């Protein structure tokens, strides 16, 4: 039981660190290419994603659309809207 609980806690920590690293990478890209260019790139990426996949494909974690609540803690990348907002502030 402890191995399961500690595994979940470890996954939360790794996911948190990965999201922080993604924000830092965005800031680094903005420093190199300019904030406007980085925001434009993220918006282009957002446009290219298309509509979410049907629920059958979401089991594979492919293009699941918006994730809310508890499952956001396990995301390795922050949503593009949050990344864009972080660059704008």
């Amino acid at each position: 039981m402890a191995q399961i609980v500690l595994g979940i806690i470890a996954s939360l920590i790794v996911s948190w660190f990965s999201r922080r690293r993604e924000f830092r990478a965005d800031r680094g890209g903005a420093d190199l290419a300019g904030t406007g260019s980085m925001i434009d790139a993220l918006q282009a990426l957002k446009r290219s994603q298309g509509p979410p996949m049907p629920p059958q494909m979401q089991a594979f974690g492919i293009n699941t659309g918006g994730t809310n609540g508890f499952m956001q803690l396990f995301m390795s990348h922050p949503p593009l809207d949050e990344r864009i907002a972080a660059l704008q502030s």
Side-chain angles (χ1 to χ4, degrees), residues 70-87:
F70 183 69
M71 290 310 292
Q72 266 190 325
L73 297 174
F74 291 96
M75 292 173 60
S76 62
H77 287 68
L80 289 171
D81 290 332
E82 286 182 25
R83 293 170 63 185
I84 292 169
L87 288 173

Side-chain angles (χ1 to χ4, degrees), residues 11-43:
S11 293
L12 290 171
I13 293 169
V14 168
S15 296
W16 172 82
F17 183 76
S18 180
R19 289 189 304 272
R20 277 188 47 120
R21 187 175 52 203
E22 197 67 26
F23 283 121
R24 286 194 322 250
D26 290 344
R27 176 51 51 204
D31 290 343
L32 291 173
T35 303
S37 296
M38 190 65 190
I39 290 172
D40 290 343
L42 290 173
Q43 288 172 338

Side-chain angles (χ1 to χ4, degrees), residues 49-54 58 61-68 72 75 77 79-80:
Q49 284 184 335
M53 298 294 255
Q58 290 184 9
I62 302 170
N63 193 15
T64 59
T67 302
N68 295 321
Q72 266 190 325
M75 292 173 60
H77 287 68
L80 289 171

Side-chain angles (χ1 to χ4, degrees), residues 1-13 70 74:
M1 188 66 160
Q3 186 175 6
I4 293 171
V5 171
L6 292 175
I8 291 170
I9 291 171
S11 293
L12 290 171
I13 293 169
F70 183 69
F74 291 96

